[in-house]
Amino acid sequence: MNSKSLKLIYNNSILGPIILFAVLFCIPLVSSSNYLFSILTMIGFYALVCIGLTTLTGYAGQISLGHAAFYGIGAYSSAVLTSTYGLNPWIAIIIGALISAVVALIVGIPTFKLKGYYLALATLGFGIIVYTLFKEFSSITGGSNGFFGIPPISLFGYEFITDKSYFYLIWVFVFFAILFTRNIIHSRIGRGLRSIEGSEIAADAVGVNLMNYKLQIFVLSAIFASVSGSLLAHYVSFINPDLFVANTSIFFLIMVIMGGKGNIWGSIVGAAMYVLLDEILKHYVPLLLPNVGGQFEIVFFGILLVLTLIYMPDGLVPRFEKLMSKFKKKTPTNGALQSTISVNATGGDNK
């Protein structure tokens, strides 16, 4: 696949997701490993969160370190509403998304008056507060012991209880999230977001409503995180506050930066890189370094983040596109190749 094909896929709002979806749906034809499906399912969960976070960070230029809170709000909303009150999981997912949207709106109004590091610290503080609430309201959330017995999702009588079935489910959500997000990016709202990311002063000078645009994209990213958290709760059937600590928000941001914060496809690439590297660390680090504690993961990904920012500040996907462009420039086109052959055949210039 040459750079022209990649550019066509990138610019087309429907072609790229369709190709991705087709490739993923071919995987069951070549493998039936539950482990493989569980890995791809986790990539899907993280990719759904990162798609929303990419629009916020990469296109609006706003750094959030509190998305684990919305991830957890979706998970606990679905868990409590389905297990305690007997609601349908689909209704619970929608309610959880609405709760996250309202919370994002309430938090975003004062928070987005801040800029830079102050904004990041404010969202980090919000995430810590929500994590504490999950832990302390044990009568509702189960506290540190966790919440058990979350029912599976069903659709027209079919229950999503296997890794393979959930693999299909989560990637359908990712597919539509990509379509929806790319439509926003290529719309008037997307142009406004890019102007904010470039210069808030210039954007404000040409009439862009900074607060309105920031709040809209923050609410959208919160909804994506909430839906992903709800789907996760029904997938694992057990959740506890440790799934939604501040480190989780940091890992989400690392995924976005590794893949490419200005590229929707970077969300999927970053999520895949994180899940695969995390699996390698869990399996091989205890064998090679048996005395290393659980904090090795955050140290490793912290170092990886620093290296990415130094050597690949745009992430993996833009770097791959640049390499493909350079490769095409070095490869002579058919016209150039024929001209070269013609010159060689005539012995160069006819003097």
Side-chain angles (χ1 to χ4, degrees), residues 15-337:
L15 182 59
I18 288 178
I19 292 176
L20 171 66
F21 207 56
V23 171
L24 288 170
F25 266 62
C26 289
I27 291 177
L29 300 178
V30 297
S31 176
S32 58
S33 170
N34 287 330
Y35 176 71
L36 174 62
F37 286 122
S38 67
I39 293 296
L40 292 173
T41 300
M42 289 308 302
I43 292 174
F45 287 132
Y46 293 149
L48 187 56
V49 179
C50 290
I51 288 171
L53 190 56
T54 296
T55 59
L56 179 68
T57 303
Y59 290 92
Q62 310 302 305
I63 298 176
S64 172
L65 293 176
H67 264 56
F70 300 117
Y71 192 51
I73 289 172
Y76 275 104
S77 296
S78 281
V80 173
L81 292 174
T82 55
S83 299
T84 306
Y85 297 101
L87 262 66
N88 184 287
W90 294 107
I91 297 176
I93 291 172
I94 295 172
I95 294 175
L98 292 175
I99 293 173
S100 293
V102 172
V103 172
L105 189 63
I106 295 172
V107 172
I109 290 173
T111 300
F112 282 108
K113 294 179 182 179
L114 305 172
K115 296 180 181 179
Y117 301 112
Y118 297 103
L119 172 63
L121 290 174
T123 55
L124 178 62
F126 162 69
I128 294 172
I129 291 171
V130 173
Y131 164 74
T132 304
L133 293 176
F134 290 155
K135 199 169 184 179
E136 296 301 324
F137 282 87
S138 56
S139 59
I140 300 175
T141 65
S144 299
N145 294 325
F147 198 104
F148 296 85
I150 305 171
I153 293 178
S154 62
L155 183 65
F156 302 118
Y158 177 80
E159 289 190 341
F160 294 88
I161 55 177
T162 64
D163 291 321
K164 185 176 180 180
S165 63
Y166 232 93
F167 156 76
Y168 286 117
L169 179 64
I170 185 60
W171 281 100
V172 167
F173 274 88
V174 173
F175 173 79
F176 285 106
I178 292 174
L179 287 183
F180 184 76
T181 305
R182 287 184 63 79
N183 285 334
I184 290 177
I185 291 170
H186 294 294
S187 69
R188 179 175 59 85
I189 296 176
R191 291 191 292 272
L193 292 174
R194 285 192 289 271
S195 68
I196 293 173
E197 196 275 337
S199 172
E200 291 192 13
I201 297 175
D204 186 47
V206 297
V208 176
N209 190 327
L210 301 181
M211 181 61 74
N212 188 33
Y213 277 83
K214 289 178 183 179
L215 282 177
Q216 286 180 2
I217 208 65
F218 186 56
V219 169
L220 177 65
S221 65
I223 290 174
F224 281 4
S226 176
V227 171
S228 180
S230 294
L231 294 172
L232 173 73
H234 293 290
Y235 174 61
V236 297
S237 74
F238 163 78
I239 55 174
N240 65 16
D242 291 338
L243 293 171
F244 314 109
V245 295
N247 282 356
T248 304
S249 294
I250 296 173
F251 287 140
F252 286 147
L253 189 60
I254 289 174
M255 294 177 212
V256 169
I257 293 174
M258 281 197 306
K261 64 183 179 67
N263 194 306
I264 293 299
W265 297 111
S267 305
I268 298 175
V269 173
M273 285 290 295
Y274 172 79
V275 172
L276 295 176
L277 290 173
D278 188 50
E279 284 297 312
I280 292 172
L281 291 177
K282 289 178 179 177
H283 283 85
Y284 294 103
V285 169
L287 297 176
L288 299 175
L289 303 170
N291 296 323
V292 174
Q295 295 300 318
F296 180 81
E297 181 184 17
I298 188 64
V299 173
F300 173 80
F301 283 105
I303 295 173
L304 186 61
L305 174 62
V306 172
L307 293 176
T308 302
L309 291 172
I310 294 174
Y311 297 105
M312 290 188 299
D314 295 328
L316 290 170
V317 172
R319 177 57 63 91
F320 178 70
E321 291 175 348
K322 289 179 181 178
L323 289 175
M324 291 299 296
S325 298
K326 290 180 180 179
F327 176 76
K328 185 184 178 185
K329 289 178 181 179
K330 292 179 180 179
T331 303
T333 60
N334 292 336
L337 185 59

Side-chain angles (χ1 to χ4, degrees), residues 1-19:
M1 184 179 292
N2 58 29
S3 60
K4 185 176 181 181
S5 301
L6 288 172
K7 188 174 182 180
L8 175 63
I9 293 172
Y10 178 75
N11 290 331
N12 194 302
S13 62
I14 186 67
L15 182 59
I18 288 178
I19 292 176

